[in-house]
């Protein structure tokens, strides 16, 4: 580069970030209850977003770049790949728009990228995309936002959203006349954790799987069956009961709730097809690896890791929920700093081999996350209950409702806060989104039926 085009780059292939080459989407619904002037003015949104990425989040205005030794994020001080914002105005009422949000109508409300896979040829993949949906009546606005998971994880994304909304609110209320510092430090890149490496310890890494090239994919693939989401509601009373049970057996609330989900899905699928009893029942929870390495959330982005637990379908069916919770607890506890360092070393070694195979036109095995492969029963859990999802105020109040990423893949479970939920006090209901084939009726499971007592709009 020339002197007047300073370049900065960091690697995303020294950890698991590059395995998630897909855009994850959220849908945020805001109601214009006061009929405010300038409600989500599109120029204000664009201005605040461009200021944020150019001044504070330059990697978001950068590019992915595949090189001989890995994949980098590269960005510059004098040119920017600004996040695209598109707008549309619909002549429908607020209730109809809200139904589209609750039904996760991504085709209508979420921007779509022409490409998500990082290759040697494709360097124009957007890091973040925004689609703003207005109503002719000015009753509400919906923000559909997609971010590339190779750049950010959920924690980093919601920190970004908190900063964007705060900056936009400041510009709406004060214009450009007052100085403004964003409330949260931007987080990118994962630090070197090689000091955790212990050559005397050897680990197996079942979180990954090697496949033939024709089976390889960088994002999840829909199966042959239609997948539908069912929303479970865990009441305040049920949360308190689960917390007490978790304390009694020495596991966390989340671990016990994960065990309930795994046991429930496993039982339903076995009842529908008794012949799968000897088949694999696969569980994993998507872990934030910062706490495993003593790294603050305010320092870096986190490449997630998915430590799995595997049993036969019949074995899971025979276990009590408390026993399954112990299995979940042990699987999560395995992810120490030493394990994580070993996992990323293994991952990087395989990735470099794959790049060398590509350069030299050789055919070889390719590595994927194990949970992307098919199994008779899968339970893949992501918990977002501690994220500041309902604190994103752009100057017009907090969202009425936020829909998590729509993932139409068998076995995905998202633990999700409701608008008044506080993870520290469990003062409001908690939602759990369960993705299963259309013919699977969650109400047939006693474990799930207790969470289906309420109608959820």
């Amino acid at each position: 580069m020339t002197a007047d085009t300073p370049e900065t780059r960091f690697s995303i292939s020294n950890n698991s970030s590059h395995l998630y080459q897909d855009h994850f989407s959220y849908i945020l619904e805001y109601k214009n209850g006061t009929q405010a002037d300038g409600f989500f003015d599109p120029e204000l949104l664009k201005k605040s977003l461009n200021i944020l990425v150019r001044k504070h989040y330059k990697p978001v205005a950068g590019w992915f770049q595949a090189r001989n030794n890995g994949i980098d994020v590269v960005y510059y001080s004098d040119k920017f790949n600004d996040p695209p914002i598109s707008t549309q105005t619909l002549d429908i009422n607020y209730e109809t728009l809200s139904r589209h949000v609750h039904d996760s109508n991504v085709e209508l409300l979420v921007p779509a990228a022409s490409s998500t896979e990082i290759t040697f040829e494709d360097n124009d993949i957007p890091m973040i995309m925004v689609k703003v949906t207005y109503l002719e009546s000015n009753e509400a606005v919906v923000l559909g936002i997609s971010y590339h998971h190779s750049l950010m994880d959920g924690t980093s994304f919601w920190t970004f959203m908190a900063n964007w909304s705060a900056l936009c609110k400041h510009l709406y209320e004060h214009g450009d006349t007052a100085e403004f510092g964003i409330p949260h430090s931007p987080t990118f890149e994962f630090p070197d954790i090689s000091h955790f490496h212990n050559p005397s310890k050897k680990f197996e890494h079942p979180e990954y799987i090697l496949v033939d090239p024709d089976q390889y994919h960088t994002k999840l693939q829909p199966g042959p069956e239609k997948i539908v989401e069912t929303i479970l509601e865990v009441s305040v009373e049920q949360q308190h009961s689960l917390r007490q049970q978790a304390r009694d057996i020495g596991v966390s609330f989340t671990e016990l709730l994960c065990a309930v989900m795994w046991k429930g899905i496993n039982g339903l699928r076995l009842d529908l097809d008794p012949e799968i009893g000897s088949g694999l029942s696969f569980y994993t929870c998507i872990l934030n690896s910062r706490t495993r390495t003593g790294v603050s959330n305010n320092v870096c982005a986190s490449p997630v890791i998915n430590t799995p637990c595997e049993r036969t379908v019949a074995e899971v069916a025979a276990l009590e929920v408390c026993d399954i919770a112990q299995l979940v607890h042990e699987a999560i506890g395995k992810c120490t700093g030493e394990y994580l360092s070993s996992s990323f070393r293994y991952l990087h070694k395989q990735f470099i081999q794959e790049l060398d195979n590509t350069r030299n036109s050789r055919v070889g095995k390719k590595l994927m996350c194990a949970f992307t492969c098919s199994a008779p029963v899968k339970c893949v859990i992501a918990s977002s209950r501690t994220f500041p999802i309902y604190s994103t105020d752009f100057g017009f109040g907090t969202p009425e409702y936020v829909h998590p990423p729509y993932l139409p893949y068998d076995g995905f479970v998202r633990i999700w806060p409701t608008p008044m939920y506080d993870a520290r006090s469990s003062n409001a209901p908690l939602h759990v989104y369960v993705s299963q084939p259309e013919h699977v009726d969650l109400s047939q499971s006693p474990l799930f039926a207790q969470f289906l007592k309420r109608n959820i709009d």
Side-chain angles (χ1 to χ4, degrees), residues 85-305:
I85 297 184
S86 61
T87 63
Q88 64 178 348
T89 302
L90 303 179
D91 188 12
I92 58 177
N93 61 28
Y94 170 65
E95 290 72 20
T96 302
L97 178 67
S98 185
R99 178 52 57 193
H100 284 302
V101 175
H102 284 251
D103 289 345
S104 193
N105 190 338
V106 293
E107 290 80 11
L108 178 66
L109 302 173
V110 172
S114 58
S115 175
T116 63
E117 184 175 351
I118 305 165
T119 67
F120 287 104
E121 297 79 22
D122 191 351
N123 291 325
D124 291 327
I125 300 169
M127 304 293 189
I128 286 180
M129 303 176 292
V130 181
K131 186 174 185 177
V132 191
T133 299
Y134 298 91
L135 293 180
E136 292 280 3
S137 63
N138 200 31
E139 292 178 272
V141 158
V142 167
L143 298 181
I145 303 173
S146 293
Y147 72 96
H148 202 289
H149 210 298
S150 290
L151 179 71
M152 293 182 174
D153 66 338
T155 302
S156 300
F157 172 77
W158 285 106
T159 299
F160 176 87
M161 289 298 296
N163 284 329
W164 181 24
S165 59
L167 176 56
C168 186
K169 183 177 182 179
H170 169 81
L171 293 177
Y172 176 70
E173 294 177 346
H174 305 287
D176 296 327
T177 57
E179 288 294 322
F180 179 77
I182 57 174
H184 307 283
S185 299
T187 54
F188 292 104
E189 195 173 7
F190 196 68
D192 179 17
I193 59 170
S194 59
H195 58 284
F196 285 110
H197 177 57
N198 185 344
S200 67
K201 286 192 175 182
K202 304 297 182 184
F203 297 98
E204 297 294 326
H205 290 291
E207 62 267 27
Y208 309 121
I209 188 169
L210 290 171
V211 299
D212 293 329
D214 61 346
Q215 298 176 304
Y216 173 74
H217 45 265
T218 58
K219 56 183 178 181
L220 294 163
Q221 302 296 307
E225 297 184 81
K226 180 181 178 182
I227 303 296
V228 297
E229 279 184 335
T230 302
I231 306 176
L232 307 179
E233 182 176 284
V234 187
S235 70
V236 173
E237 295 77 14
Q238 289 168 330
Q239 291 175 64
H240 289 163
S241 176
L242 287 168
R243 287 186 183 280
Q244 184 58 56
Q245 293 175 51
R247 285 192 290 268
D248 290 344
I249 61 174
V251 301
S252 71
F253 165 77
T254 300
E255 289 167 342
L256 183 59
L257 186 57
C258 288
V260 171
M261 296 298 113
W262 187 14
K263 173 79 171 178
I265 291 173
N266 190 89
L268 282 172
R269 302 302 284 268
L270 182 60
D271 288 345
L272 289 169
D273 185 3
E275 294 185 1
I276 67 171
S278 60
L280 177 66
S281 185
F282 180 94
Y283 162 86
T284 190
C285 183
I286 299 172
L287 295 179
N288 176 339
S289 54
R290 296 181 187 88
T291 55
R292 310 280 155 177
T293 54
V295 177
S296 168
N297 282 355
N298 297 326
V299 173
C300 67
S302 171
V304 295
I305 188 168

